Amino acid sequence: MKKGLQECGIEVDFLLDVDKPWGFGGILEPHRQRASSDERHRFIEYSIAIPRLEKDIGECEDCGGKREVDGIECFHCMGTGRKTVIEWNVINRIAATLHVLGFVLNKPDKKLLIGIDTKRKQLLSLQTFFASGNAPIGATLSRAFGDYVRSLSGQELPEVNAAIKNAYLHMFPRRRRFSRFESCVYEKGQLIVGIPGDSCGLYVDGTSKSLHEASGPMELDCHNVDMDPISN
């Protein structure tokens, strides 16, 4: 992962002290600890701040800060009068860190499993990947989660839609004109979560056999989520 970051021009070490910000460049922040009567079942939580990727670097060169060109809203600055660039550095560090973390969590040391109630299944397992310019994401929904999604067939998910819209506009604040956010469950539990772009989002593939089953786990695939949305 460090080599992949170097190919993106990022020279950073993987910090290992989990009592402090850790991961590549310290993007995993200690959040809180949840106590338990059994010390082996204590939860330690970490958070990752959603970064602002758009950086203002001055006046738009095409409209000279006037927001219009020949009476038409400037396409390059989207009518803001400002020139911006996208800094992917922190997103690349997050993607690389999550990929490393995925290996650790998917193959835990056997000593860590002693005493854990194996009947309590994880509801969702995240899969991530990182290489230079490529960071797809996917997930496996457990049977319980998959069945819950099936029960929502034919419904929109306004809370999910609001959450992804808030995150998107925090990262790309000048793109408020984009309004195509989608969070809904189609027939037979086909979950689709999408953002502006060329079919950008997570979804249950329409050819998935899970859509023909009354119960069972589901797989979430992705399309174009690891690309600059404006270029799609």
Side-chain angles (χ1 to χ4, degrees), residues 149 152-158 160-161 182-186 189-194 202:
V149 170
L152 299 176
S153 294
Q155 298 185 40
E156 295 186 358
L157 308 174
V160 176
N161 213 54
E182 181 182 21
S183 302
C184 56
V185 183
Y186 288 96
Q190 187 181 18
L191 174 63
I192 294 182
V193 179
L202 298 173

Side-chain angles (χ1 to χ4, degrees), residues 120-141:
R120 298 183 63 186
K121 302 295 184 181
Q122 186 160 311
L123 287 177
L124 179 148
S125 296
L126 194 66
Q127 294 98 40
T128 63
F129 179 77
F130 174 77
S132 179
N134 187 16
I137 185 172
T140 299
L141 309 185

Side-chain angles (χ1 to χ4, degrees), residues 39-231:
E39 184 66 17
R40 293 173 301 178
H41 295 166
R42 180 171 58 94
F43 283 92
I44 303 176
E45 298 182 3
Y46 299 91
S47 64
I48 299 177
I50 297 175
R52 177 160 293 187
L53 302 184
E54 275 187 352
K55 304 297 181 182
D56 189 315
I57 59 172
E59 192 176 82
C60 176
E61 297 171 353
D62 290 84
C63 68
K66 297 179 180 180
R67 304 186 179 187
E68 294 183 351
V69 177
D70 296 329
I72 301 174
E73 185 180 89
C74 179
F75 172 78
H76 292 90
C77 69
M78 300 183 190
T80 64
R82 308 299 298 173
K83 181 178 180 180
T84 59
V85 295
I86 306 298
E87 294 186 357
W88 295 106
N89 182 305
V90 65
I91 284 291
N92 286 327
R93 289 192 288 116
I94 290 173
T97 298
L98 290 179
H99 191 46
V100 173
L101 191 60
F103 278 108
V104 177
L105 297 180
N106 285 328
K107 297 181 179 180
D109 188 285
K110 291 182 179 179
K111 294 179 180 178
L112 297 177
L113 299 178
I114 297 176
I116 293 179
D117 183 1
T118 56
K119 294 180 180 179
R120 298 183 63 186
K121 302 295 184 181
Q122 186 160 311
L123 287 177
L124 179 148
S125 296
L126 194 66
Q127 294 98 40
T128 63
F129 179 77
F130 174 77
S132 179
N134 187 16
I137 185 172
T140 299
L141 309 185
S142 68
R143 176 183 294 274
F145 201 160
D147 291 350
Y148 173 69
V149 170
R150 288 181 179 88
S151 74
L152 299 176
S153 294
Q155 298 185 40
E156 295 186 358
L157 308 174
E159 297 90 348
V160 176
N161 213 54
I164 62 173
K165 184 175 182 179
N166 287 340
Y168 179 91
L169 293 179
H170 176 79
M171 292 188 286
F172 307 103
R174 74 167 182 165
R175 301 179 185 181
R176 295 189 176 277
R177 65 164 58 191
F178 295 106
S179 59
R180 202 187 82 185
F181 296 89
E182 181 182 21
S183 302
C184 56
V185 183
Y186 288 96
E187 187 179 356
K188 299 179 181 179
Q190 187 181 18
L191 174 63
I192 294 182
V193 179
I195 64 171
D198 182 12
S199 300
C200 296
L202 298 173
Y203 62 94
V204 176
D205 193 293
T207 62
S208 172
K209 66 177 183 180
S210 66
L211 298 179
H212 302 284
E213 299 173 341
S215 178
M218 289 183 165
E219 298 289 333
L220 279 180
D221 295 315
C222 71
H223 188 265
N224 282 349
V225 299
D226 57 336
M227 300 172 66
D228 181 358
I230 200 66
S231 67

